[in-house]
Amino acid sequence: MDIYVKFVSSLIIVLVLAYAIKKKGFLDNCGILCSSAMAFIILMGTNLNWLIIMVCFLVFGSLVSKVGYSKKNRMGISECKRTIKNVLANGSLAVLIVLLYSFGIIEYNTALFGYIGSISAATSDTFSSELGVLSNETPRLITTLEKVEKGTDGGVSLYGTFAGIVGAFLIGILSSILFNNYNLIWIGTISGILGNLSDSLFGALLERRGIFNNEHVNFTCTLVGSLCAIALYLAVI
């Protein structure tokens, strides 16, 4: 595609997407600006299929955040709109991977699997945290298995873990359809779960002690998911 045509078409898609996000209230204004810039980079560096995966994460995350909203609100852990911090923590690594691929630093499949792994991990973590708190099950700290309050950093539950598996699998299955690569199903799912578990682990070890904040932990989650996906791709395929 001619670079000018791609530039104009990418700009149009980003503007339409920004309007839709604004209309649905998925992000605040700063989040919309940041996500628009990220979407433009993804489109210019790759193609629409890559952006669709990122948009699916945003939509899925926003939808599950609204599930049981009144209960979350009573617990003091509800979130109306995601902010620029959420956008950067969950999406900046994926954009970095696109840039590395665009400049020829990494090859296509490494970029693709790393990209899917990072988004799968972010989705898995979002599903676990947003749906896990709705369970009547008492969560346990991932490092010691002691019972903790809901919403505690590093707390895990069977229900939340299962929700995370569903989130990772959704990204895996959508990726396999869009990129016609069935290996993305199992690699996306496994790497997403591992990234999710690392989020809980770093939450227990570092966030509870004030060494990391929530955004640091979320970024680490996507990094682990990405590296696991690349490792599985290089080792098995």
Side-chain angles (χ1 to χ4, degrees):
M1 182 185 296
D2 184 89
I3 186 65
Y4 298 108
V5 174
K6 188 170 187 177
F7 180 90
V8 173
S9 61
S10 297
L11 187 59
I12 293 172
I13 292 172
V14 167
L15 290 174
V16 171
L17 182 60
Y19 175 78
I21 292 173
K22 176 73 173 178
K23 191 81 170 176
K24 292 294 184 179
F26 290 155
L27 301 171
D28 65 12
N29 290 334
C30 288
I32 292 173
L33 288 174
C34 182
S35 64
S36 296
M38 294 167 71
F40 185 75
I41 292 172
I42 292 171
L43 284 173
M44 290 298 295
T46 55
N47 58 49
L48 185 59
N49 285 350
W50 292 60
L51 181 60
I52 289 173
I53 295 298
M54 181 67 82
V55 171
C56 285
F57 159 67
L58 173 62
V59 173
F60 290 158
S62 297
L63 290 177
V64 296
S65 68
K66 289 178 171 57
V67 176
Y69 182 81
S70 59
K71 183 176 181 179
K72 294 174 187 174
N73 194 39
R74 290 194 298 271
M75 296 168 63
I77 56 174
S78 59
E79 190 173 31
C80 295
K81 293 182 179 180
R82 299 188 181 276
T83 67
I84 188 172
K85 290 183 178 180
N86 301 121
V87 173
L88 289 173
N90 290 296
S92 57
L93 180 65
V95 174
L96 176 60
I97 291 171
V98 170
L99 288 172
L100 292 175
Y101 167 67
S102 300
F103 288 108
I105 299 174
I106 58 177
E107 54 92 24
Y108 178 83
N109 281 324
T110 300
L112 177 61
F113 279 88
Y115 181 86
I116 298 303
S118 69
I119 297 177
S120 178
T123 307
S124 180
D125 174 54
T126 301
F127 272 56
S128 287
S129 58
E130 291 291 349
L131 299 179
V133 295
L134 300 177
S135 170
N136 293 325
E137 180 185 356
T138 301
R140 294 178 179 271
L141 199 64
I142 192 171
T143 49
T144 64
L145 298 183
E146 64 179 289
K147 293 183 178 181
V148 292
E149 295 292 326
K150 290 181 180 180
T152 300
D153 300 323
V156 295
S157 66
L158 290 176
Y159 183 81
T161 301
F162 176 75
I165 294 173
V166 172
F169 178 75
L170 282 175
I171 295 299
I173 193 73
L174 285 170
S175 301
S176 71
I177 295 171
L178 287 171
F179 296 99
N180 194 28
N181 188 331
Y182 293 109
N183 288 306
L184 287 168
I185 300 177
W186 66 272
I187 289 182
T189 302
I190 292 174
S191 60
I193 296 168
L194 292 175
N196 183 4
L197 291 175
S198 75
D199 182 280
S200 298
L201 182 61
F202 283 107
L205 295 175
L206 300 177
E207 190 175 1
R208 293 186 80 208
R209 296 172 180 168
I211 300 173
F212 273 14
N213 61 26
N214 184 61
E215 284 71 38
H216 294 145
V217 173
N218 286 344
F219 179 82
T220 304
C221 167
T222 64
L223 178 60
V224 171
S226 178
L227 292 176
C228 288
I230 292 173
L232 287 170
Y233 159 68
L234 294 175
V236 179
I237 300 176

